[in-house]
Amino acid sequence: MLRQRSKLGMQDRCICTYNAIRQFPEAMMDAPSPCTCFQLRRAARQVSQVYDQHLAAADISLNAYSILRRARQPRPLGELAEALGMDRTTLSRNLKPLIEAGLLSTQPGDDPRQRQVHITAAGKRRLQKAQPLWQKAQDEIQARFGERQMSELNRRLEALSNTLQTDPTA
């Protein structure tokens, strides 16, 4: 991925989008992007906004909600990162405000070098308050996109994720 400084600041662009914009800046402004990464990121941002709007009533973001849901049982940091599709550094950065807010806690694992992450009682209450709001967001997306299309999209995204997790050299 290529990082390019724009007038608006740092933006992530894949090389095909970057080159197309350089060669045909006017034509590319409103043309559909051939870049899968761009399409996925744009859709993800829009979907995240819907969830975040609903979850705001529980004072929680979609990212925090996802972390809390996957930390209902104590889990090693690396296992939690893998379940979320994040690297450990990104997860550690995202855990900090949740720990400071008392929604999560960490403790040493069986191996003292390993940290276990688990939800606190306050985190469980927040998750319980957020769950119906998450469901409303889920229902809104499904109503707008269609039940069959949503099911097919989720199936294909899961297949893509599984494909990308496998080592192509193996």
Side-chain angles (χ1 to χ4, degrees):
M1 185 171 310
L2 176 71
R3 286 201 180 274
Q4 160 154 342
R5 185 169 296 282
S6 74
K7 291 178 183 173
L8 299 175
M10 292 297 287
Q11 293 183 348
D12 292 331
R13 293 202 181 131
C14 75
I15 194 68
C16 69
T17 304
Y18 173 75
N19 285 336
I21 289 171
R22 280 186 43 181
Q23 291 174 342
F24 311 104
E26 295 79 25
M28 289 301 292
M29 291 299 262
D30 294 322
S33 175
C35 176
T36 302
C37 184
F38 172 80
Q39 295 289 359
L40 284 170
R41 284 181 167 209
R42 181 178 60 185
R45 282 190 296 271
Q46 292 168 337
V47 168
S48 293
Q49 288 172 1
V50 171
Y51 282 90
D52 282 338
Q53 288 169 357
H54 283 276
L55 291 169
D59 194 29
I60 193 169
S61 69
L62 177 59
N63 192 39
Y65 178 82
S66 296
I67 292 170
L68 291 177
R69 281 202 43 151
R70 282 155 188 85
R72 287 181 286 188
Q73 299 296 320
R75 297 176 95 164
L77 185 66
E79 184 183 307
L80 183 57
E82 188 175 321
L84 290 161
M86 292 181 177
D87 61 71
R88 290 172 56 106
T89 303
T90 302
L91 178 58
S92 293
R93 190 172 48 250
N94 284 291
L95 290 177
K96 188 176 180 184
L98 297 173
I99 292 168
E100 289 172 355
L103 303 177
L104 288 176
S105 66
T106 60
Q107 61 191 32
D110 295 335
D111 178 343
R113 297 170 295 176
Q114 189 180 58
R115 289 191 313 161
Q116 294 271 337
V117 179
H118 60 94
I119 195 167
T120 64
K124 288 178 184 177
R125 287 190 300 274
R126 183 76 59 92
L127 191 58
Q128 188 174 12
K129 181 178 178 182
Q131 202 286 324
L133 301 169
W134 173 89
Q135 188 61 57
K136 285 181 182 180
Q138 183 81 358
D139 293 346
E140 179 183 333
I141 297 292
Q142 186 168 309
R144 291 170 74 177
F145 192 56
E147 186 174 345
R148 201 171 77 234
Q149 292 93 322
M150 185 60 65
S151 179
E152 181 65 15
L153 175 63
N154 286 335
R155 188 183 66 72
R156 288 180 182 230
L157 288 172
E158 186 70 27
L160 176 61
S161 181
N162 290 337
T163 299
L164 295 174
Q165 285 179 354
T166 60
D167 184 358
T169 62

